[in-house]
Amino acid sequence: MEATITEAQLEKEFQQKIDSGIVIEPKDWMPERYRKQLIRMMSQHAHSEVVGMLPEGNWITRAPSLDRKAILLAKVQDEAGHGLYIYSATETLGIDRAEMMEQLHTGKAKYSSIFNYPTQNWADIGAIGWLVDGAAIINQTALAKCSYGPYSRAMIRICKEENFHNKQGYQILAYLMRGTKEQQEMAQDAMNRWWWPSLMMFGPSDANSPNSAELMRWKVKLHSNDDLRQRFIDRTVPQAEAIGLTIPDDKLRWNPDTRHYDWGEINWDEFYAVISGNGPCNHERMSARVGAHEKGRWVREAAAAYAQKHLN
Amino acid sequence: MEEKKDVQGKLWEVFTQKKTGAPHEHAGSVRAADKEMAMMNARDVYSRRNEAVSLWVVPSECIVASQPEDAGPFFDPANDKAYRNPNFYKTPTGVKQIS
């Protein structure tokens, strides 16, 4: 009985800290569920950065110029770095990196569904930088103010770098839109395929988001999925118009009363199908990831053996 | 499937100095097998945009940290020494250049 009272008391004090804006650090007491939810969210986020390298990595050898190739290489390297920032932040919660890797490779941990769509042509690289990273920036700017110190610090670092990703992607599409008719069609086609999956990145609608209330009470989330999605739409539509791209949504229009865009309906069946493993590239991504990990195993083992030998 | 335990290397804490004259600040951590690799990983992960002119890497297990639950009693000795603070002292009106 004594123990239960203490636990309840600790939890109350924890909530008071959160409510008064105190940031939680790794060694502070935290409810087990807060720890678990953060491990789930943060490792999923780290995995998304890592798996996110695969669709873009496809285009490094096929970038249309040396400049573009250098830029894309730097961007993909940043994504690896982002994965590492977040893995290291997640390890402060007491989970080991090897365990996180294993959860990814066995399918126990998820990653962002957006990376289960294929990159079919060069314009897709533009659409990923502009739309996918643009959506990620909105999410991550919010997370930069979350209640867990290491996660928030990793997000601040990442947000600075994502802006480069976002702008290089937009520039790719802007160039194509100034090009030939075929190039313009290619850009519009990429827009058509990536728009709705980008909106899905914000997660289920508030009504169907089971974890949201708890995460908001703990200030892990500061805004609802729908609010962030609207923020992304409001910011992105004028950018599309500026370069002559059409948003593939015939219900999209500016609402002067709400001062937001009204828009259509997400195909939630598709969203849940891709999440549960039936997207166009789920299998391909996972086998590429596991393959890379296995091919790198001898390097990790050799490095460990070398370190052991030179211990003294 | 025969699965050998995965090796990810030791955990190292990384400290970066933004410019000479500035203090080294904690940036995050990396995994590496030894100190050379830790240093290279730290550079690649925490200084891709010239964020550092100097790096320290320290095995995480070597860091001795105070515990949050000790925070009160451990830092107590500073609480009753207001006389360490210049505001503790009253200076006669008109006296200048004494901070």
Side-chain angles (χ1 to χ4, degrees):
Chain A
M1 197 59 205
E2 188 72 25
T4 351
I5 295 164
T6 317
E7 183 85 359
Q9 186 56 32
L10 283 168
E11 217 157 299
K12 197 175 152 212
E13 285 167 16
F14 177 82
Q15 191 61 48
Q16 282 165 351
K17 277 170 85 174
I18 300 264
D19 293 343
S20 55
I22 294 175
V23 172
I24 307 301
E25 292 293 344
K27 288 187 173 155
D28 293 341
W29 185 89
M30 60 186 82
E32 217 29 53
R33 198 163 153 75
Y34 177 84
R35 185 186 301 276
K36 283 220 176 79
Q37 287 282 37
L38 273 174
I39 289 177
R40 181 186 61 84
M41 270 180 75
M42 290 168 70
S43 63
Q44 186 172 320
H45 192 166
H47 297 329
S48 302
E49 302 284 353
V50 170
V51 177
M53 290 192 282
L54 297 170
E56 292 185 293
N58 278 343
W59 283 89
I60 290 174
T61 54
R62 285 173 279 167
S65 71
L66 198 52
D67 274 351
R68 293 288 185 203
K69 183 186 273 203
I71 291 169
L72 185 56
L73 259 175
K75 179 190 189 293
V76 173
Q77 190 196 17
D78 273 352
E79 305 298 358
H82 295 177
L84 293 173
Y85 301 155
I86 311 173
Y87 282 130
S88 97
T90 316
E91 283 193 275
T92 64
L93 290 160
I95 185 170
D96 184 77
R97 185 153 330 184
E99 193 181 338
M100 283 188 268
M101 293 273 111
E102 193 186 308
Q103 288 179 351
L104 171 65
H105 297 154
T106 55
K108 193 180 162 215
K110 290 197 179 340
Y111 56 89
S112 179
S113 278
I114 193 85
F115 302 117
N116 289 321
Y117 290 87
T119 39
Q120 298 177 358
N121 62 46
W122 175 250
D124 289 26
I125 298 303
I128 289 184
W130 175 43
L131 298 174
V132 176
D133 289 290
I137 288 171
I138 304 265
N139 261 329
Q140 291 171 157
T141 309
L143 285 169
K145 299 197 182 83
C146 80
S147 60
Y148 189 56
Y151 197 21
S152 141
R153 291 191 284 274
M155 286 306 108
I156 291 168
R157 199 174 273 279
I158 287 179
C159 284
K160 282 185 196 158
E161 303 184 349
E162 289 288 4
N163 287 328
F164 140 54
H165 303 174
N166 186 233
K167 282 177 110 171
Q168 65 85 34
Y170 187 61
Q171 195 206 43
I172 289 174
L173 292 179
Y175 270 50
L176 289 171
M177 290 307 285
R178 291 208 297 268
T180 63
K181 190 165 173 290
E182 284 78 10
Q183 286 171 322
Q184 291 171 7
E185 282 168 4
M186 195 163 116
Q188 183 62 51
D189 170 59
M191 172 94 219
N192 294 348
R193 283 181 290 108
W194 289 93
W195 175 252
W196 290 103
S198 300
L199 297 188
M200 293 177 198
M201 283 176 69
F202 295 94
S205 194
D206 296 343
N208 300 315
S209 180
N211 293 317
S212 275
E214 184 181 60
L215 293 175
M216 286 178 88
R217 181 162 56 83
W218 283 332
K219 293 192 186 164
V220 172
K221 276 175 86 159
L222 290 110
H223 308 277
S224 76
N225 294 351
D226 288 333
D227 284 352
L228 293 175
R229 188 163 17 240
Q230 187 67 47
R231 194 179 292 184
F232 172 73
I233 294 169
D234 290 346
R235 174 191 288 205
T236 310
V237 173
Q239 295 171 1
E241 286 168 353
I243 56 174
L245 283 168
T246 308
I247 306 271
D249 178 356
D250 53 17
K251 294 209 174 75
L252 186 93
R253 54 189 51 87
W254 176 252
N255 182 332
D257 298 329
T258 60
R259 306 199 55 77
H260 291 294
Y261 284 92
D262 292 335
W263 53 285
E265 181 78 27
I266 286 178
N267 180 350
W268 291 111
D269 292 340
E270 177 183 328
F271 173 78
Y272 289 109
V274 180
I275 275 195
S276 53
N278 297 318
C281 299
N282 295 54
H283 179 73
E284 186 186 329
R285 298 290 181 245
M286 231 354 80
S287 59
R289 176 85 274 286
V290 174
H293 188 72
E294 288 310 318
K295 278 182 206 150
R297 181 183 292 279
W298 72 270
V299 179
R300 294 190 295 277
E301 288 174 357
Y306 180 86
Q308 189 63 34
K309 198 170 150 189
H310 293 84
L311 211 49
N312 37 5
Chain B
M1 188 169 67
E2 171 75 32
E3 185 74 18
K4 267 195 285 178
K5 185 156 171 28
D6 193 31
V7 193
Q8 290 282 329
K10 272 204 305 190
L11 197 59
W12 303 72
E13 299 304 318
V14 180
F15 298 81
T16 54
Q17 186 189 34
K18 287 192 176 67
K19 52 178 195 240
T20 52
H24 283 71
E25 272 182 18
H26 184 242
S29 61
V30 291
R31 288 268 172 186
D34 59 28
K35 55 189 180 186
E36 283 83 13
M37 189 189 274
M39 189 53 95
M40 282 195 282
N41 288 354
R43 179 202 59 193
D44 291 347
V45 176
Y46 294 103
S47 186
R48 286 191 302 284
R49 288 170 173 76
N50 301 314
E51 290 99 333
V53 293
S54 163
L55 284 173
W56 293 346
V57 290
V58 183
S60 305
E61 64 197 15
C62 293
I63 292 192
V64 182
S66 63
Q67 297 297 316
E69 55 271 27
D70 304 336
F74 188 71
F75 295 105
D76 255 357
N79 289 350
D80 57 354
K81 296 179 183 61
Y83 45 81
R84 282 211 164 104
N85 194 318
N87 294 339
F88 179 78
Y89 303 91
K90 304 259 179 302
T91 335
T93 330
V95 177
K96 284 185 182 138
Q97 297 206 337
I98 177 160
S99 53

